[in-house]
Structure formats: C-alpha cells, structure tokens
Amino acid sequence: MKITSKGYLSLYGVTSTAVLKETIEMIGGEVNYYIPNRFTDGYGPNTAAFERLIEQGTQLIVTCDNGVAGHAAIERAKVLGIDVIVTDHHELPTVLPAAYAVVHPRHPKGSYPFGELAGVGVAFKLATALLGEMPVELLDLVAIGTVADLVSLTDENRALVMQGLVVLKNTQRIGLSALFKLAKIKREDIDEESIGFIIGPRLNAVGRLGDAAPAVELLTTFDDDEALSLAQLVQEKNTERQAYVSAITNEAFQMIEELDSDSAVYVLAKENWHEGVLGIVASKVVGKTGKPTLIMTIDKAKGLAKGSGRSIPTFHLYHALDSARQLTTTFGGHHMAAGLTIPLENIENLQHELNHYATETGLSEELGEETPLDGQLKLAEATVEVVEELSRLAPFGTDNRKPTFLFKNVASQDVRRIGGDQSHLKMKLVEENVSLDVIGFQFGSVTDEIGLHSDVSVIGKLAINEWNGARKTQLMLEDIAIEGVQVFDSRSTHIPATLWNTDHADFIFFDQLNFEKYGHLLPDTSYGHHLRDQEALTQFKMTTNQLIFVDCPSDSEWVKNLLSASNPEKIIACFYSREELYLNGMPTRAQFGQVFKYTAAHVDIDVRNKLNLLATHLKIKEANMIFIISVFLEIGFVTIADGVMNANTSVEKRALDQAKTYQKRLKQIQSENFFVYSHFSELEDWLKQQVKEMP
C-alpha cells in the first residue's frame, strides 16, 4: 500500500512529516511525502495536488499539522475512493471535514486531557498508537517542532520537550549532526533557545523560500554526503532568508511611520515582498510595537494580497479574522498566528474591521508592548548560582516564560554599539562595586540616547556567558528606561556638521553671528533661538524635549537661568567659542600700558584702516588690541571720531576693571573656561543639577 504523508508548509509540518514518514516505514508501509509549496499550492489540502497524488497510486493520505479546513480536497479524495486521515492542532471549524479520521487534541467528540499539543505532538501520538509504544528515538523531532511552533510549554508539551532535548543532544541523525557543525552548535549546550534561535530558523528557511522537501530529507537521510550537502543548503537559505527579512522589516516600519492614524492592528501590504518571510516580519513588528500585525505581499495580476499575521496574548487573531471572514478569500490559524489571502480591494476594509473588533471587544485598550516582570534584583544578586537555579524551570517558552528581572537606577558604563552593522548594544551596569554585562540585540540606536554617566533602569533575562573557562552572568536586554536628563558632549574647536541633522530639538544660540550663519541649517522639526539679552532669555520656552547649546554664553548665569525654567530630557553641549577668549586670555597690565603710552605720544591714529599695523608694532594680538581700545573708549581714556583715535588728556584716572567691557570679557573668559574646557563629568553634573533645581 502506498501512503502519502502530506505535511503543512512550516517547520512543525516538516518535523510532523518526518515523524510519520519514519513511523509508517517502521510498520512496513511504502511512504511518499508531499509538502505543499506555499507559492503555488497555498496553505492546507489542495484539490489538484490530491488528484495528482491519487493518480500516481496513493491509497491513503495522512495530513500533518493541517487539514481541519480542507473540506474540498478531502471530499474530492473521498469521491475518488481514497481515505484521508487528518492530524492537526489548529483551530477547529464549526463543521469538520468528511475525513476517515480527524486526530486532534481538542476534537469535540474526544476527551484528550491536554489540548495544546503542537502539530508534531499530534503526529507523535499517532505514531505511538501505531507502534504500540512510545518511539523515544523520534523525540528529537518532537522537541524541535514543539518549540518552533510556539505552543504552550506546559503539561505534556513540557515533558515532550524535556525528554526530546535529551535525545537531541545525542541524536543519531547525521543531517542534524552536519547542521550542528555548520551552525557551530555544541551538542552539550543544546536547549530550547538553540532550537528557537538557531536550529528552527535554519530548517524553516528552506520552506519559506521554496520547496521544503530538503528539510525533511535532512532530518531523515542516512547518507553522509547528502547530509552535508543538505546542511549547506539549509545554511545558505537561512542567510538568504535573513536578507529578505531585514529589507522587508525596514520597509514595514517606514510604512508605519507614514500612517495617518494610530491603528490598533497593523495591516501592511506591498508588491514584491517575499511571501515566505512575512510571518517573521510580522513577529518583528509585533515585538517592537506590541500590536497585532498582518504582513501581506500584493499580486496585482491576481488581484490578491497574501500573507501572515502574528498577535499578542490579549488579541485572538483567529477570532478577529473570523469576524471579518467575508472580506477574505481564505484564512486559517490560531490565537497567535494566522495566514490569509484577501482581494486587494478589501485590504482597507479589513484594517477597519480589525480595528473595530479590537474596540468592540475592549482589546484596543489592552494593546501595547508590555513585559511582565518576575522580580527586582540588585546586581549582587545576579549570580551564576542564581541563574543555574532558575534553569531548573526550563524548558522555557509560551506559558512558561524565562524569568524577567528589573534592575532599577543603576549606573551605566562602557556603552557602545556592536555587531557587523552596529545594530546591537553592549554596556555594563555598575552598582556598589558590582558590575553586570548587558547585551541588547537591535538596541544599537539606544546608545545615542545614553549619556556618558547615566543612571538607567533595565529589564531582561539572565544568562551565563562562558569564555576561556570563565563563567559569568550577563543580562539579555528587553527594555531600558534612561533615568533623568541625558547630557552629551559635542564640544570641539568647530561645530560638528552632524549637529544640524538633529530633529525635534531646541537650538540655543548666544552669539548673533553664529545664529545668522547657521540658523537656516536646522531641520524643519527643530527650532532656533537667539538669546541676545535677558528679555529674550525670560521669554524662552522649550518646544521639544532636548536642548542643544550651540555656542558659549557670555555669562554662566544665562545657562543656569535657562535650565531652571526648562525640563529637557536631553542636553547636547556644543558650546562653540568663535572668539576663543579663554585661549587669547585677558591682556596684561603691561599691554594696557603700552597702548596707553603709544596713544598719549601720537595723534590721529587711524584705527579703522591701520589697526593691524599697530597691533604688529606693539606685538599684541589684534583681537586683544580691539578689546584694549574698547575699554579705553568706555572709561574715556581715548576718543574715536570717523575711525581716528586720540588720547583724552583731561580724563580722570579710573581702574580698568570698572569698565563694563572689561567685566563682560572677564565673565566670558570664566564662562569659556567652564563650558568649553572643563572635564565633561564636571560639566555634566553641573548641568543636571540646574535641571534638578527647577522650581
């Protein structure tokens, strides 16, 4: 008898197919398997495919991880005289298909005690029944399929995965061994995370980009050369899949930014998106936004959009789509994931209906990314021993989350970007002389928001990092809150060109010439303010949440008063000094005396045209010469008419430091000394203190 095991196009369908293929072969059946190509056959049983298989001599069809919605194909097989046995775990329709048998843990006429089996778990139960005993050697496949299916890792699933991991570490499957070697997986380190992040995505990539059959062959082959060749193919497909995911994810987030309204559910569709990776992209959008998401690719020739959706615990995606089934061509799935096809003209209506469903069911108020916490720890409590004790709760997954901890108000150090594309974050947390390394995947952009000496609160999961025989804990970052105002040091001998690219900022200019020269360079979302006097300072109001001090004020009190009346979240300290008064210094008394004597001994000095010659003659910097003459003019030592300077012999003797010009320069020098040349930690502490002292 020729039997066809028909697997659903997914990793769990691949493992289900492998389980039933090997089981039927054990009892003497002649097995062929067929996995639908999602790009040509769609999802679930396909009538044309069934007819073709039956024509080729198939006498029994067993579905894996699909079939409860395959009414038409199953009915056609029945008409042709072929029985179909359905093994599935997806949401049951109101009317079940007319199959010879429907094996489902939540069958309405059954009483199975655990309804959350994965598709591979259902296949394994059928295998156990057929063999009359539990086929332990198949548990490695069960562990892979169960973890990858994201089903509840409690009760029987927990037991299957725990036992399956033991088998997986010692698996005799040469295909998996070849894959482990290419992926640099140590057998002794294999756990549920190895499946979820390394093994699963690689096996899944084959079917996502084309024919999934090589994945089944990899799991079941007995040929060493074929195993190596298939493992290499799997590795290559995974790299290709990652590139597609990255490109489409970026485009999806760009579309979200351009949306006119804030939707409760995202429905995103575009031409030329690779259909095979849309579920992964949807997961990434959900992970970042906390909102249920449908990602679809548009086929204008067929007038259809086809894709996948992912959800959150408070939003039952299958029920939501069921409420709008009249808009779809086909759909299927469960609580957290779904696949669908929809006419192009119904996309906008589907978006509206899903938002309406979220509102009517009260779920719209519960949407959003929310991470449940299991406790707050001090850094000293995050020890290797604690992590090892927590590992006794593994395997972790759906409904048995790996514990997430909060570390509140701890100092951050060595914050930097890592990774080939600099998209990840690495930093160190410090508290009471205890440190903890932190890795934040896809948190690279956050480094630009964390000041040099910032306090942060973080949540994440603890792990053990082993390097050169040393074992230490590290935190896998899930979210971060930056405490208090953040201060960034952009001081230099020039204004960095990148400063003008800063969006949503208030740029503060104290120097009119700088304001006139650079004010027009600001982005449309930012604002320039020239604080020329006390009145302008009094009237200043922040428009954004970040302040950029472009240049240096003439008096530190100006910055103090500005910050005491503002509440910035971020301060960028540029404090550019155009005149560099601190470096030029205050002219000495001897230099004042030189100029005074020269002026007293000469008449009609042409300071308009020959000032530079005078400065060269007296060996005084021209800028200092201008300042000396300004002081003399203010206190009456000289007169200037039409650019010609003469001494005033009748003026009373006055102290130079009584001149406002002299006092102003002295304050400017002191201001530059602090804002431009002080150690950044000193400047940072001072700026933060002014904000804290807000009335």
PDB file of all heavy atoms in Angstrom, residues 532-554:
ATOM      1  N   ARG A 532      19.675  86.897  22.917  1.00  0.00           N
ATOM      2  CA  ARG A 532      20.613  88.022  22.829  1.00  0.00           C
ATOM      3  C   ARG A 532      20.705  88.826  24.112  1.00  0.00           C
ATOM      4  O   ARG A 532      21.697  89.491  24.359  1.00  0.00           O
ATOM      5  CB  ARG A 532      20.196  88.938  21.683  1.00  0.00           C
ATOM      6  CG  ARG A 532      18.851  89.629  21.898  1.00  0.00           C
ATOM      7  CD  ARG A 532      18.466  90.517  20.732  1.00  0.00           C
ATOM      8  NE  ARG A 532      18.187  89.740  19.557  1.00  0.00           N
ATOM      9  CZ  ARG A 532      17.000  89.165  19.318  1.00  0.00           C
ATOM     10  NH1 ARG A 532      16.017  89.260  20.220  1.00  0.00           N
ATOM     11  NH2 ARG A 532      16.792  88.495  18.226  1.00  0.00           N
ATOM     12  N   ASP A 533      19.632  88.754  24.944  1.00  0.00           N
ATOM     13  CA  ASP A 533      19.629  89.553  26.166  1.00  0.00           C
ATOM     14  C   ASP A 533      18.735  88.888  27.198  1.00  0.00           C
ATOM     15  O   ASP A 533      18.126  87.829  26.949  1.00  0.00           O
ATOM     16  CB  ASP A 533      19.157  90.984  25.869  1.00  0.00           C
ATOM     17  CG  ASP A 533      17.851  91.018  25.064  1.00  0.00           C
ATOM     18  OD1 ASP A 533      17.001  90.115  25.276  1.00  0.00           O
ATOM     19  OD2 ASP A 533      17.686  91.915  24.224  1.00  0.00           O
ATOM     20  N   GLN A 534      18.617  89.519  28.348  1.00  0.00           N
ATOM     21  CA  GLN A 534      17.831  88.952  29.442  1.00  0.00           C
ATOM     22  C   GLN A 534      16.357  88.840  29.075  1.00  0.00           C
ATOM     23  O   GLN A 534      15.679  87.897  29.485  1.00  0.00           O
ATOM     24  CB  GLN A 534      17.995  89.814  30.707  1.00  0.00           C
ATOM     25  CG  GLN A 534      19.327  89.652  31.410  1.00  0.00           C
ATOM     26  CD  GLN A 534      19.455  88.295  32.075  1.00  0.00           C
ATOM     27  OE1 GLN A 534      18.476  87.573  32.282  1.00  0.00           O
ATOM     28  NE2 GLN A 534      20.689  87.915  32.403  1.00  0.00           N
ATOM     29  N   GLU A 535      15.865  89.781  28.287  1.00  0.00           N
ATOM     30  CA  GLU A 535      14.454  89.728  27.891  1.00  0.00           C
ATOM     31  C   GLU A 535      14.176  88.491  27.038  1.00  0.00           C
ATOM     32  O   GLU A 535      13.187  87.782  27.249  1.00  0.00           O
ATOM     33  CB  GLU A 535      14.083  90.992  27.113  1.00  0.00           C
ATOM     34  CG  GLU A 535      12.611  91.020  26.704  1.00  0.00           C
ATOM     35  CD  GLU A 535      12.245  92.272  25.921  1.00  0.00           C
ATOM     36  OE1 GLU A 535      13.118  93.141  25.752  1.00  0.00           O
ATOM     37  OE2 GLU A 535      11.093  92.367  25.477  1.00  0.00           O
ATOM     38  N   ALA A 536      15.064  88.204  26.085  1.00  0.00           N
ATOM     39  CA  ALA A 536      14.908  87.018  25.241  1.00  0.00           C
ATOM     40  C   ALA A 536      15.015  85.747  26.080  1.00  0.00           C
ATOM     41  O   ALA A 536      14.304  84.765  25.843  1.00  0.00           O
ATOM     42  CB  ALA A 536      15.960  87.012  24.143  1.00  0.00           C
ATOM     43  N   LEU A 537      15.894  85.776  27.072  1.00  0.00           N
ATOM     44  CA  LEU A 537      16.054  84.626  27.957  1.00  0.00           C
ATOM     45  C   LEU A 537      14.790  84.389  28.769  1.00  0.00           C
ATOM     46  O   LEU A 537      14.335  83.247  28.935  1.00  0.00           O
ATOM     47  CB  LEU A 537      17.249  84.849  28.887  1.00  0.00           C
ATOM     48  CG  LEU A 537      17.577  83.731  29.870  1.00  0.00           C
ATOM     49  CD1 LEU A 537      17.998  82.475  29.113  1.00  0.00           C
ATOM     50  CD2 LEU A 537      18.690  84.166  30.816  1.00  0.00           C
ATOM     51  N   THR A 538      14.187  85.458  29.258  1.00  0.00           N
ATOM     52  CA  THR A 538      12.967  85.355  30.066  1.00  0.00           C
ATOM     53  C   THR A 538      11.800  84.811  29.244  1.00  0.00           C
ATOM     54  O   THR A 538      10.970  84.045  29.741  1.00  0.00           O
ATOM     55  CB  THR A 538      12.598  86.728  30.652  1.00  0.00           C
ATOM     56  OG1 THR A 538      13.694  87.222  31.414  1.00  0.00           O
ATOM     57  CG2 THR A 538      11.364  86.625  31.542  1.00  0.00           C
ATOM     58  N   GLN A 539      11.743  85.176  27.971  1.00  0.00           N
ATOM     59  CA  GLN A 539      10.626  84.779  27.119  1.00  0.00           C
ATOM     60  C   GLN A 539      10.797  83.376  26.512  1.00  0.00           C
ATOM     61  O   GLN A 539       9.857  82.838  25.942  1.00  0.00           O
ATOM     62  CB  GLN A 539      10.461  85.800  25.986  1.00  0.00           C
ATOM     63  CG  GLN A 539      10.038  87.185  26.470  1.00  0.00           C
ATOM     64  CD  GLN A 539       9.964  88.191  25.341  1.00  0.00           C
ATOM     65  OE1 GLN A 539      10.368  87.902  24.211  1.00  0.00           O
ATOM     66  NE2 GLN A 539       9.456  89.382  25.631  1.00  0.00           N
ATOM     67  N   PHE A 540      11.969  82.777  26.651  1.00  0.00           N
ATOM     68  CA  PHE A 540      12.226  81.485  26.015  1.00  0.00           C
ATOM     69  C   PHE A 540      11.362  80.376  26.611  1.00  0.00           C
ATOM     70  O   PHE A 540      11.236  80.243  27.829  1.00  0.00           O
ATOM     71  CB  PHE A 540      13.703  81.104  26.162  1.00  0.00           C
ATOM     72  CG  PHE A 540      13.992  79.674  25.760  1.00  0.00           C
ATOM     73  CD1 PHE A 540      13.989  79.293  24.427  1.00  0.00           C
ATOM     74  CD2 PHE A 540      14.214  78.698  26.721  1.00  0.00           C
ATOM     75  CE1 PHE A 540      14.235  77.985  24.054  1.00  0.00           C
ATOM     76  CE2 PHE A 540      14.467  77.377  26.367  1.00  0.00           C
ATOM     77  CZ  PHE A 540      14.474  77.025  25.023  1.00  0.00           C
ATOM     78  N   LYS A 541      10.774  79.572  25.729  1.00  0.00           N
ATOM     79  CA  LYS A 541      10.011  78.384  26.125  1.00  0.00           C
ATOM     80  C   LYS A 541      10.459  77.212  25.256  1.00  0.00           C
ATOM     81  O   LYS A 541      10.543  77.333  24.036  1.00  0.00           O
ATOM     82  CB  LYS A 541       8.501  78.604  25.936  1.00  0.00           C
ATOM     83  CG  LYS A 541       7.917  79.736  26.773  1.00  0.00           C
ATOM     84  CD  LYS A 541       7.928  79.393  28.257  1.00  0.00           C
ATOM     85  CE  LYS A 541       7.282  80.520  29.063  1.00  0.00           C
ATOM     86  NZ  LYS A 541       7.391  80.262  30.527  1.00  0.00           N
ATOM     87  N   MET A 542      10.714  76.058  25.890  1.00  0.00           N
ATOM     88  CA  MET A 542      11.100  74.871  25.128  1.00  0.00           C
ATOM     89  C   MET A 542       9.937  74.384  24.276  1.00  0.00           C
ATOM     90  O   MET A 542       8.795  74.358  24.735  1.00  0.00           O
ATOM     91  CB  MET A 542      11.550  73.751  26.068  1.00  0.00           C
ATOM     92  CG  MET A 542      12.972  73.879  26.557  1.00  0.00           C
ATOM     93  SD  MET A 542      13.515  72.363  27.403  1.00  0.00           S
ATOM     94  CE  MET A 542      13.583  71.213  26.025  1.00  0.00           C
ATOM     95  N   THR A 543      10.242  73.993  23.057  1.00  0.00           N
ATOM     96  CA  THR A 543       9.233  73.445  22.157  1.00  0.00           C
ATOM     97  C   THR A 543       9.349  71.934  22.063  1.00  0.00           C
ATOM     98  O   THR A 543       8.368  71.238  21.794  1.00  0.00           O
ATOM     99  CB  THR A 543       9.399  74.059  20.749  1.00  0.00           C
ATOM    100  OG1 THR A 543       9.469  75.475  20.865  1.00  0.00           O
ATOM    101  CG2 THR A 543       8.234  73.677  19.851  1.00  0.00           C
ATOM    102  N   THR A 544      10.563  71.412  22.285  1.00  0.00           N
ATOM    103  CA  THR A 544      10.814  69.976  22.199  1.00  0.00           C
ATOM    104  C   THR A 544      11.278  69.474  23.570  1.00  0.00           C
ATOM    105  O   THR A 544      11.134  70.169  24.566  1.00  0.00           O
ATOM    106  CB  THR A 544      11.892  69.682  21.138  1.00  0.00           C
ATOM    107  OG1 THR A 544      13.157  70.178  21.601  1.00  0.00           O
ATOM    108  CG2 THR A 544      11.548  70.350  19.820  1.00  0.00           C
ATOM    109  N   ASN A 545      11.846  68.266  23.589  1.00  0.00           N
ATOM    110  CA  ASN A 545      12.343  67.733  24.865  1.00  0.00           C
ATOM    111  C   ASN A 545      13.867  67.704  24.941  1.00  0.00           C
ATOM    112  O   ASN A 545      14.431  67.119  25.844  1.00  0.00           O
ATOM    113  CB  ASN A 545      11.787  66.330  25.117  1.00  0.00           C
ATOM    114  CG  ASN A 545      12.199  65.344  24.046  1.00  0.00           C
ATOM    115  OD1 ASN A 545      12.987  65.667  23.151  1.00  0.00           O
ATOM    116  ND2 ASN A 545      11.678  64.130  24.118  1.00  0.00           N
ATOM    117  N   GLN A 546      14.549  68.310  23.939  1.00  0.00           N
ATOM    118  CA  GLN A 546      16.009  68.349  24.017  1.00  0.00           C
ATOM    119  C   GLN A 546      16.547  69.732  23.671  1.00  0.00           C
ATOM    120  O   GLN A 546      16.037  70.425  22.792  1.00  0.00           O
ATOM    121  CB  GLN A 546      16.637  67.285  23.128  1.00  0.00           C
ATOM    122  CG  GLN A 546      16.365  67.368  21.651  1.00  0.00           C
ATOM    123  CD  GLN A 546      17.104  66.288  20.868  1.00  0.00           C
ATOM    124  OE1 GLN A 546      18.228  65.921  21.209  1.00  0.00           O
ATOM    125  NE2 GLN A 546      16.484  65.769  19.826  1.00  0.00           N
ATOM    126  N   LEU A 547      17.590  70.119  24.411  1.00  0.00           N
ATOM    127  CA  LEU A 547      18.256  71.400  24.229  1.00  0.00           C
ATOM    128  C   LEU A 547      19.634  71.181  23.631  1.00  0.00           C
ATOM    129  O   LEU A 547      20.361  70.271  24.035  1.00  0.00           O
ATOM    130  CB  LEU A 547      18.425  72.114  25.573  1.00  0.00           C
ATOM    131  CG  LEU A 547      17.209  72.802  26.195  1.00  0.00           C
ATOM    132  CD1 LEU A 547      17.565  73.314  27.582  1.00  0.00           C
ATOM    133  CD2 LEU A 547      16.735  73.953  25.317  1.00  0.00           C
ATOM    134  N   ILE A 548      19.985  72.028  22.674  1.00  0.00           N
ATOM    135  CA  ILE A 548      21.326  71.998  22.106  1.00  0.00           C
ATOM    136  C   ILE A 548      21.948  73.372  22.306  1.00  0.00           C
ATOM    137  O   ILE A 548      21.468  74.367  21.744  1.00  0.00           O
ATOM    138  CB  ILE A 548      21.295  71.645  20.613  1.00  0.00           C
ATOM    139  CG1 ILE A 548      20.708  70.247  20.405  1.00  0.00           C
ATOM    140  CG2 ILE A 548      22.703  71.726  20.019  1.00  0.00           C
ATOM    141  CD1 ILE A 548      20.618  69.822  18.952  1.00  0.00           C
ATOM    142  N   PHE A 549      22.985  73.439  23.124  1.00  0.00           N
ATOM    143  CA  PHE A 549      23.707  74.695  23.324  1.00  0.00           C
ATOM    144  C   PHE A 549      24.776  74.789  22.241  1.00  0.00           C
ATOM    145  O   PHE A 549      25.822  74.152  22.320  1.00  0.00           O
ATOM    146  CB  PHE A 549      24.333  74.735  24.718  1.00  0.00           C
ATOM    147  CG  PHE A 549      23.327  74.886  25.823  1.00  0.00           C
ATOM    148  CD1 PHE A 549      22.969  73.798  26.600  1.00  0.00           C
ATOM    149  CD2 PHE A 549      22.725  76.113  26.070  1.00  0.00           C
ATOM    150  CE1 PHE A 549      22.035  73.928  27.615  1.00  0.00           C
ATOM    151  CE2 PHE A 549      21.787  76.255  27.083  1.00  0.00           C
ATOM    152  CZ  PHE A 549      21.434  75.165  27.858  1.00  0.00           C
ATOM    153  N   VAL A 550      24.480  75.588  21.216  1.00  0.00           N
ATOM    154  CA  VAL A 550      25.366  75.668  20.060  1.00  0.00           C
ATOM    155  C   VAL A 550      26.663  76.375  20.418  1.00  0.00           C
ATOM    156  O   VAL A 550      27.758  75.896  20.112  1.00  0.00           O
ATOM    157  CB  VAL A 550      24.671  76.390  18.888  1.00  0.00           C
ATOM    158  CG1 VAL A 550      25.633  76.523  17.714  1.00  0.00           C
ATOM    159  CG2 VAL A 550      23.422  75.642  18.470  1.00  0.00           C
ATOM    160  N   ASP A 551      26.563  77.551  21.071  1.00  0.00           N
ATOM    161  CA  ASP A 551      27.764  78.312  21.376  1.00  0.00           C
ATOM    162  C   ASP A 551      27.803  78.701  22.843  1.00  0.00           C
ATOM    163  O   ASP A 551      26.880  78.411  23.611  1.00  0.00           O
ATOM    164  CB  ASP A 551      27.891  79.543  20.458  1.00  0.00           C
ATOM    165  CG  ASP A 551      26.601  80.331  20.360  1.00  0.00           C
ATOM    166  OD1 ASP A 551      25.876  80.398  21.373  1.00  0.00           O
ATOM    167  OD2 ASP A 551      26.313  80.879  19.274  1.00  0.00           O
ATOM    168  N   CYS A 552      28.880  79.356  23.200  1.00  0.00           N
ATOM    169  CA  CYS A 552      29.153  79.628  24.609  1.00  0.00           C
ATOM    170  C   CYS A 552      28.526  80.957  25.034  1.00  0.00           C
ATOM    171  O   CYS A 552      28.676  81.968  24.330  1.00  0.00           O
ATOM    172  CB  CYS A 552      30.665  79.661  24.821  1.00  0.00           C
ATOM    173  SG  CYS A 552      31.156  79.671  26.545  1.00  0.00           S
ATOM    174  N   PRO A 553      27.837  81.004  26.171  1.00  0.00           N
ATOM    175  CA  PRO A 553      27.260  82.259  26.642  1.00  0.00           C
ATOM    176  C   PRO A 553      28.342  83.162  27.238  1.00  0.00           C
ATOM    177  O   PRO A 553      29.433  82.705  27.590  1.00  0.00           O
ATOM    178  CB  PRO A 553      26.282  81.793  27.723  1.00  0.00           C
ATOM    179  CG  PRO A 553      26.923  80.566  28.287  1.00  0.00           C
ATOM    180  CD  PRO A 553      27.583  79.892  27.111  1.00  0.00           C
ATOM    181  N   SER A 554      28.015  84.433  27.347  1.00  0.00           N
ATOM    182  CA  SER A 554      28.967  85.366  27.951  1.00  0.00           C
ATOM    183  C   SER A 554      28.952  85.284  29.468  1.00  0.00           C
ATOM    184  O   SER A 554      29.857  85.783  30.132  1.00  0.00           O
ATOM    185  CB  SER A 554      28.649  86.804  27.512  1.00  0.00           C
ATOM    186  OG  SER A 554      27.321  87.153  27.889  1.00  0.00           O
TER     187      SER A 554
END
